[in-house]
């Protein structure tokens, strides 16, 4: 995550008709269609750059406090970025990385809870999701560059400083300690989702927002209730963009009080010696993951959806299927390209089966 430049929130307040807002910015399809007599300004959209992407909060225009509520939600995201970023030496997470290999470091309660959840998810996914990968991210040049393939000896040495098994949390003292000096935490695979969860919590608690949808860079989405003009209350219709053609969709899902996280390596990658290396690194092997084109996960929280989409992208369909079988509240859409030039194949797992409207060939599990 990167720190955004200071901005005036009024620069980012503007109203949209629902159809315009969702088609231009979030990839959410409006359903049912707008009736002619309905206002063209159902939704107030508040947006701001944070965590190296554009965050948007879409709220009902009928709520008089919607612009202020949206700005407050983005303020919360900015505050969390300042706490969680590894691109600023004085953030709380950077201070942990600097000192926890030497002494236990006391941290803020909500951050401690996030680390507890991250370590739990690491165990549940067999290490496919892991936040103790900072040294690995740097070795491949995905921190500040240059991107490169590390040598075998270098990678072996780096892997000695990777893995949540080396992270010790003390709930009573609320401290974190690393068993291996040089180990570093990186919350890039869970931080955006966590920020959306906290922003939505603020909207519900302090602003009593009954409806809304938030997203960070389109890859992390959290839905509150249903669209304000949607009488059936079935939820927001969220589109999954085609990984190779931005003008197309591969599927649409109905989300009501649910989150969606998507992981893929079609944008962030580099090429070396005729091979493509994506930015999603397998913490078990130290190498970029390969397999699916992209993975989307539906879960109760955006943090969980983000973390599991990364884990399923790394571990593959068999482990994703097994996880969803053990956790029926979780669902996934796996998008694969069986061979060059072939049609994309979709596999829909778990809870996503009742939410997905597929637009391309699909293999349901």
């Amino acid at each position: 995550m990167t720190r955004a430049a200071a901005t005036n929130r009024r620069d980012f307040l503007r109203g949209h008709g629902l159809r315009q807002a969702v088609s231009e910015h979030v990839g959410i399809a409006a359903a049912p269609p707008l009736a002619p007599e309905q206002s063209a300004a159902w939704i107030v959209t508040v947006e701001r750059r944070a965590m190296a992407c554009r965050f948007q909060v879409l709220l009902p225009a009928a709520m008089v406090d919607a612009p202020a509520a949206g700005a407050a939600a983005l303020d919360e995201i900015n505050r969390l970025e300042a706490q969680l970023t590894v691109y600023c030496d004085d953030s709380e997470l950077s201070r942990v990385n600097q000192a926890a290999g030497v002494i236990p470091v006391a941290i803020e309660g909500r951050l401690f809870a996030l680390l507890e959840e991250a370590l739990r998810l690491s165990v549940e996914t067999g290490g496919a999701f892991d936040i103790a990968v900072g040294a690995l991210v740097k070795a491949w040049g995905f921190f500040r560059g240059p991107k490169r393939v590390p040598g075998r000896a270098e990678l072996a040495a780096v892997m000695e400083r990777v893995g949540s098994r080396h992270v010790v949390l003390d709930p009573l003292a609320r401290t974190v300690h690393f068993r291996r000096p040089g180990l570093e935490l990186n919350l890039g695979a869970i931080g955006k989702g966590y920020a959306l969860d906290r922003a939505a919590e603020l909207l519900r608690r302090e602003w009593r927002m009954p409806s809304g949808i938030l997203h960070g860079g389109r890859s992390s989405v959290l839905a509150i209730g249903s669209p304000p003009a949607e009488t059936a209350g079935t939820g927001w219709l969220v589109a999954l963009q085609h990984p190779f053609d931005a003008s197309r969709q591969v599927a649409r899902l109905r989300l009501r009080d649910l989150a969606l996280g998507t992981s893929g390596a079609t944008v962030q990658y580099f090429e070396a010696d005729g091979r493509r290396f994506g930015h999603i690194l397998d913490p078990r092997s130290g190498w970029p993951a390969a397999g699916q084109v992209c993975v989307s996960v539906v879960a109760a929280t955006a943090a969980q959806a983000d973390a599991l989409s990364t884990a399923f992208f790394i571990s593959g369909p068999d482990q994703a299927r097994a996880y969803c079988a053990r956790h029926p509240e979780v669902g996934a859409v796996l998008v694969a390209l069986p061979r060059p030039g072939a049609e994309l194949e979709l596999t829909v797992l778990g809870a996503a089966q009742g939410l997905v409207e597929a637009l391309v060939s699909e293999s349901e599990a």
Side-chain angles (χ1 to χ4, degrees), residues 9-26 28 40-48 54-63 66-71 74 212-215 236:
R9 71 181 61 175
R10 286 173 294 195
D11 293 339
F12 298 95
L13 297 178
R14 51 196 175 100
H16 285 284
L18 178 60
R19 189 180 300 277
Q20 179 185 2
V22 298
S23 65
E24 289 183 358
H25 300 298
V26 191
I28 301 166
W42 286 9
I43 297 292
V44 168
T45 302
V46 187
E47 62 184 52
R48 188 183 303 165
R54 178 166 57 177
F55 278 81
Q56 289 190 322
V57 181
L58 282 70
L59 299 172
M63 304 294 289
L74 294 176
I213 190 160
L214 306 84
H215 84 97
W236 297 83

Side-chain angles (χ1 to χ4, degrees), residues 240 243 250 291-296 333-337 344-347:
L240 302 183
V250 296
Q292 294 79 235
V293 175
C294 60
V295 175
S296 297
V333 180
L334 314 181
V335 181
L337 187 67
L344 292 177
E345 291 185 354
L346 265 67
T347 302

Side-chain angles (χ1 to χ4, degrees), residues 9-291:
R9 71 181 61 175
R10 286 173 294 195
D11 293 339
F12 298 95
L13 297 178
R14 51 196 175 100
H16 285 284
L18 178 60
R19 189 180 300 277
Q20 179 185 2
V22 298
S23 65
E24 289 183 358
H25 300 298
V26 191
I28 301 166
L34 291 173
E37 67 274 11
Q38 289 175 321
S39 167
W42 286 9
I43 297 292
V44 168
T45 302
V46 187
E47 62 184 52
R48 188 183 303 165
R49 282 196 64 81
M51 300 185 179
C53 70
R54 178 166 57 177
F55 278 81
Q56 289 190 322
V57 181
L58 282 70
L59 299 172
M63 304 294 289
V64 295
D65 290 332
L74 294 176
D75 287 344
E76 178 72 353
I77 290 169
N78 284 146
R79 189 187 68 78
L80 291 169
E81 179 180 21
Q83 179 188 34
L84 306 179
T85 183
V86 292
Y87 289 91
C88 179
D89 291 341
D90 63 356
S91 74
E92 185 168 11
L93 189 64
S94 289
R95 292 197 299 270
V96 168
N97 285 337
Q98 293 159 13
V102 180
I103 60 171
V105 179
I107 58 175
E108 182 260 342
R110 297 294 293 267
L111 176 56
F112 188 90
L114 175 61
L115 298 189
E116 284 186 313
E117 180 179 12
L119 266 58
R120 175 183 61 81
L121 289 170
S122 181
V123 172
E124 289 183 356
T125 60
F129 170 76
D130 202 313
I131 60 171
V133 292
L136 186 62
V137 172
K138 289 181 175 179
W140 282 87
F142 286 112
F143 179 60
R144 287 196 171 110
K147 298 177 180 64
R148 64 188 184 89
V149 180
R152 181 172 298 182
E154 178 189 1
L155 189 58
V158 168
M159 290 299 290
E160 294 294 320
R161 297 179 282 119
V162 170
S164 292
R165 64 190 180 281
H166 303 308
V167 178
V168 179
L169 300 180
D170 183 339
L172 294 179
R174 210 172 65 200
T175 60
V176 56
H177 177 58
F178 302 154
R179 293 192 180 100
R180 296 292 176 88
L183 183 143
E184 296 183 20
L185 304 181
N186 185 308
L187 300 179
I190 196 172
K192 279 198 303 182
Y194 173 70
L196 289 179
D197 290 332
R198 295 286 299 272
E201 177 186 309
L202 181 148
L203 289 172
R204 291 185 175 108
R205 183 186 69 245
E206 298 187 12
W207 299 88
R208 301 292 189 267
M209 281 293 162
S211 172
I213 190 160
L214 306 84
H215 84 97
R218 301 188 184 184
S219 62
S220 303
V221 181
L222 192 153
I224 302 172
S226 295
E230 222 246 68
T231 56
T234 54
W236 297 83
L237 192 57
V238 177
L240 302 183
Q241 191 178 70
H242 193 288
F244 305 120
D245 185 350
S247 67
R248 296 170 58 195
Q249 302 170 359
V250 296
R252 294 181 295 173
L253 300 89
R254 290 277 183 184
L255 299 182
R256 181 178 182 181
D257 298 318
L258 288 171
L260 176 77
T262 298
S263 292
T266 57
V267 177
Q268 296 189 55
Y269 64 90
F270 70 96
E271 295 182 354
D273 298 325
R275 294 178 59 188
R276 175 181 290 196
F277 299 93
H279 74 289
I280 300 178
L281 303 174
D282 186 339
R284 303 166 303 179
S285 69
W287 284 82

